[in-house]
Amino acid sequence: MPDAIPFPLSPRLLLRPWRDADRAPFAALNADPEVMAHFPKPLTHAESDAGIEISKQRLHEQGFGFMPAERKDTGDFIGMVGVQRIPFQMDAPADFNGGLEIGWRLAREHWGHGFASEAAKAWLDWVWANTDESRVWSFTATSNTKSAAVMERIGMRFVERFAHPRLPEDHRLSQHVLYRIDRS
């Protein structure tokens, strides 16, 4: 099934299913302390592989998920971008729980080239064309101003700050910002 779904189209990036060859560069990305500065900790190779398996399962069950992005000009794996059902519940706007989250995580050497914005816009176009969703959400730690800037560049609007329910209140990353975009 994964190869049969229409993946988002992007001018410079191929958005596609996971391959075994993605495991090493994805693990390197997830082990990079700078890439993971706004996550609780860098991931081990095994944790990274488990994340791929979760994404593959979501693709199989839901028809979407966080998927690899590769440069068309070089074939380089640059990270993952995609949409998924929000994997936690919280006291938030009514349609947040169970809604769609858009997110991205790119290797540091691919930052600053507009790839996250380009791939995220492609995924938003895909959501509007292939689902009945009326809005898409995104969130990040308040310290992750670069990711929040991507949210704004793709047309998302700030909604509120919140304490992430999967982190202790006193955790350095507990405070998050929530953004959303509505179907036009």
Side-chain angles (χ1 to χ4, degrees):
M1 175 183 162
D3 292 320
I5 74 164
F7 279 88
L9 299 175
S10 163
R12 299 179 296 161
L13 301 172
L14 178 61
L15 305 169
R16 58 165 175 77
W18 289 96
R19 300 177 185 149
D20 283 340
D22 299 327
R23 291 181 185 278
F26 189 56
L29 173 160
N30 288 324
D32 183 330
E34 197 169 341
V35 171
M36 299 302 286
H38 305 287
F39 291 88
K41 67 180 184 67
L43 302 180
T44 66
H45 202 300
E47 290 168 328
S48 208
D49 282 350
I52 289 173
E53 294 307 315
I54 290 168
S55 290
K56 289 166 70 173
Q57 185 65 29
R58 286 185 178 138
L59 176 63
H60 177 73
E61 292 173 355
Q62 301 172 6
F64 50 81
F66 286 165
M67 308 304 299
E70 96 179 27
R71 290 180 61 155
K72 288 180 180 178
D73 61 346
T74 64
D76 290 344
F77 170 93
I78 68 165
M80 70 173 184
V81 183
V83 294
Q84 68 177 6
R85 292 279 165 213
I86 297 168
F88 58 85
Q89 301 281 308
M90 69 176 202
D91 184 22
D95 56 351
F96 174 84
N97 294 319
L100 277 189
E101 166 197 3
I102 190 165
W104 44 86
R105 188 179 314 156
L106 302 184
R108 193 168 6 123
E109 62 269 24
H110 300 288
W111 294 355
H113 301 284
F115 292 134
S117 298
E118 179 178 320
K121 285 178 185 176
W123 270 105
L124 286 173
D125 289 344
W126 184 91
V127 167
W128 306 142
N130 293 282
T131 74
D132 293 331
E133 297 293 324
S134 61
R135 84 176 26 123
V136 176
W137 302 91
S138 194
F139 47 89
T140 190
T142 55
S143 59
N144 194 351
T145 57
K146 290 180 181 179
S147 195
V150 171
M151 294 172 198
E152 291 175 6
R153 275 195 296 278
I154 65 172
M156 300 189 94
R157 294 185 331 262
F158 173 79
V159 176
E160 65 185 37
R161 290 173 67 118
F162 70 98
H164 198 294
R166 289 189 172 171
L167 294 171
E169 285 186 33
D170 61 347
H171 192 281
R172 67 180 176 82
L173 299 174
S174 172
Q175 289 301 302
H176 274 57
V177 289
L178 178 64
Y179 280 77
R180 80 173 200 214
I181 189 168
D182 296 328
R183 182 184 290 269
S184 316

